[in-house]
Amino acid sequence: MKRATMVQPSSTFVNINKKNLWVSLAIAVLSLCFVPINVSAAVRRHPPQQHHLSRKPSPKLRFGRNGEFKILQVADMHYADGKTTPCEDVLPSQVDGCSDLNTTAFIHRMIEAEKPNFIIFTGDNIYGFDSKDSAKSMDAAFAPAIAARIPWAAVLGNHDQEGTLSREGVMKHIVGLNHTLSQFNPSELHVIDGFGNYNLEVGGVEGSGFVNKSILNLYFLDSGDYSTVPAIPGYGWIKPSQQLWFQRTSAKLQRAYMSPPNAQKSSAPGLVYFHIPLPEVASFDSTNFTGVRQEDIGSASVNSGFFTTLVEAGDVKVVFTGHDHINDFCGQLTGIQLCYGGGFGYHAYGKAGWPRRARVVVASLEKTEEGGWGTVKSIKTWKRLDDKHLTAIDGEVLWSKKHTGKVE
């Protein structure tokens, strides 16, 4: 999201409760038939064969021999044309020479300091309106991850498609870049809303009893850009077709986890990544979150019921978003943590004197009785500021088999 083009969402939400979820989804599907962009139109414009691109086999994500899997979240880079693109909302002393290259330098610093196993870019990766060539902007934005040969993935925000490539074109370009595990859409589905809906599995440690089992599941969804329904103002939302895909994928992964070999009694933890925050994020205040809230929640003006869908699935422990650059908090609602990444990019709006930041997440494994590595025991997070010392702040346990809370 960028201040100059920010859409002010309505303060009235259409709430969908658990009891009426399927009815609401059915109504939503029918309603799409009466708006300019709908499922039928998607079939006409994007035939099935265009919805999944051929890819080389992707490397398997897995926990390291130290029993950890570390993820770096990069939210809202707003990359444009490199050194000719100025910074937004920095101190007067920082203006001279400040550009997209500061964003690039910050990624390099984070990679060097944290040595992540995986990098996730959560949308508005480029600011298409200011980019002369969207493909070149993306190449530059993702270059640090590619140069470091670290596996990475991306979802789309609401500004990525505002340049020389359509939303579909942007995702196709991302999928073709080196070292990415991003996917265009699920290969088994012919029709699904958006671009960049997919999941990735993280296997256990090599040599352990969980080497061939996904013990951490990552879900990625396209939260859209802006509403295509004339009567509904504001931002986009996760549609019924995407929710159905998530439900089926979650159920399949849970069945596999609770089946031999090494059948487990409960589901593996799941992490969900998309750009636009859910309306439920607005329910938090300073008494029940870790971090800061410095701007209104930029969610859709309708509630599609996706949070209810996540709760019903039972495996999701944390949802990570971006979009609201000067919010960086995490708060728990109905057993799920809802977390912002915090504004990363220097061409994105921010707050002068409030450093750009990145979120780090580490999933750690428990030891088995035999002394080997078992399943996930905890998920922790902290943020690092782009200051002189890459200061780490707001460490907390997002989920564990025992408790959640701040890290002492």
Side-chain angles (χ1 to χ4, degrees):
M1 184 171 67
K2 189 177 179 71
R3 180 179 292 134
T5 57
M6 212 169 128
V7 177
Q8 293 298 330
S10 166
S11 61
T12 302
F13 296 114
V14 181
N15 291 311
I16 299 174
N17 60 33
K18 179 175 179 181
K19 180 179 179 181
N20 296 320
L21 176 63
W22 287 108
V23 174
S24 301
L25 291 180
I27 292 172
V29 171
L30 290 173
S31 69
L32 291 176
C33 297
F34 300 96
V35 298
I37 295 180
N38 54 62
V39 173
S40 297
V43 175
R44 291 194 298 272
R45 287 198 306 274
H46 309 296
Q49 63 269 24
Q50 294 181 343
H51 270 268
H52 35 90
L53 307 178
S54 59
R55 288 174 53 86
K56 296 178 180 179
S58 299
K60 173 73 174 178
L61 293 175
R62 65 176 62 260
F63 280 76
R65 294 192 178 279
N66 63 349
E68 294 185 346
F69 186 79
K70 182 182 288 188
I71 300 171
L72 169 63
Q73 179 189 359
V74 177
D76 296 272
M77 288 189 292
H78 279 233
Y79 211 94
D81 294 328
K83 66 180 180 180
T84 62
T85 300
C87 296
E88 299 278 349
D89 297 326
V90 294
L91 294 171
S93 60
Q94 298 174 304
V95 171
D96 188 35
C98 191
S99 71
D100 278 338
L101 299 187
N102 290 63
T103 302
T104 298
F106 187 20
I107 301 178
H108 282 302
R109 293 185 76 198
M110 287 300 302
I111 290 173
E112 177 64 25
E114 292 288 359
K115 297 176 175 55
N117 301 103
F118 193 44
I119 302 175
I120 299 176
F121 298 90
T122 49
D124 282 1
N125 308 300
I126 64 171
Y127 186 59
F129 185 79
D130 286 346
S131 168
K132 295 177 182 177
D133 185 318
S134 293
K136 289 183 179 179
S137 294
M138 283 187 282
D139 291 347
F142 300 125
I146 295 170
R149 298 180 179 273
I150 297 173
W152 60 275
V155 294
L156 301 182
N158 55 296
H159 288 307
D160 293 286
Q161 78 292 337
E162 294 174 339
T164 57
L165 289 174
S166 66
R167 199 167 182 81
E168 177 182 5
V170 168
M171 199 66 213
K172 282 184 175 179
H173 186 81
I174 289 173
V175 167
L177 294 174
N178 288 334
H179 305 298
T180 189
L181 302 185
S182 306
Q183 296 174 29
F184 187 71
N185 264 334
S187 59
E188 71 274 12
L189 290 183
H190 295 326
V191 177
I192 187 170
D193 287 277
F195 306 99
N197 302 286
Y198 56 102
N199 71 287
L200 295 172
E201 302 176 11
V202 185
V205 177
E206 285 278 9
S208 73
F210 296 92
V211 63
N212 293 317
K213 208 174 192 73
S214 180
I215 58 176
L216 179 68
N217 294 311
L218 309 178
Y219 303 95
F220 304 84
L221 295 103
D222 180 1
S223 54
D225 48 13
Y226 302 98
S227 171
T228 58
V229 183
I232 301 176
Y235 295 111
W237 57 89
I238 293 172
K239 304 299 194 320
S241 64
Q242 298 167 280
Q243 296 192 42
L244 182 59
W245 165 78
F246 165 78
Q247 288 173 315
R248 290 175 173 174
T249 303
S250 171
K252 180 182 69 175
L253 291 169
Q254 291 187 58
R255 286 193 301 270
Y257 190 69
M258 292 185 275
S259 299
N262 285 320
Q264 300 299 299
K265 295 180 180 180
S266 60
S267 58
L271 309 179
V272 181
Y273 291 86
F274 50 87
H275 182 69
I276 298 174
L278 297 172
E280 285 79 3
V281 175
S283 67
F284 297 117
D285 58 41
S286 59
T287 66
N288 58 7
F289 64 66
T290 300
V292 296
R293 175 177 174 174
Q294 302 178 112
E295 63 178 308
D296 291 339
I297 307 303
S299 59
S301 61
V302 294
N303 192 324
S304 69
F306 188 48
F307 182 74
T308 302
T309 299
L310 294 172
V311 173
E312 285 186 325
D315 63 328
V316 172
K317 308 306 178 187
V318 194
V319 173
F320 297 97
T321 60
H323 191 58
D324 300 333
H325 306 174
I326 56 176
N327 291 339
D328 73 350
F329 63 84
C330 287
Q332 188 182 66
L333 182 65
T334 322
I336 297 178
Q337 294 275 357
L338 303 175
C339 293
Y340 280 106
F344 190 100
Y346 278 85
H347 186 51
Y349 77 82
K351 183 179 180 180
W354 193 72
R356 266 57 175 187
R357 58 204 57 214
R359 182 171 292 281
V360 180
V361 173
V362 175
S364 301
L365 303 181
E366 61 186 359
K367 283 282 190 176
T368 64
E369 293 180 358
E370 295 77 22
W373 292 114
T375 57
V376 178
K377 71 174 181 180
S378 68
I379 299 171
K380 300 177 183 178
T381 189
W382 59 88
K383 298 184 293 282
R384 283 195 182 271
L385 310 182
D386 192 22
D387 58 16
K388 181 178 180 181
H389 303 290
L390 275 181
T391 305
I393 63 169
D394 294 339
E396 62 178 315
V397 178
L398 294 176
W399 174 85
S400 77
K401 291 184 176 180
K402 296 182 179 179
H403 71 283
T404 59
K406 292 185 177 181
V407 176
E408 298 298 333

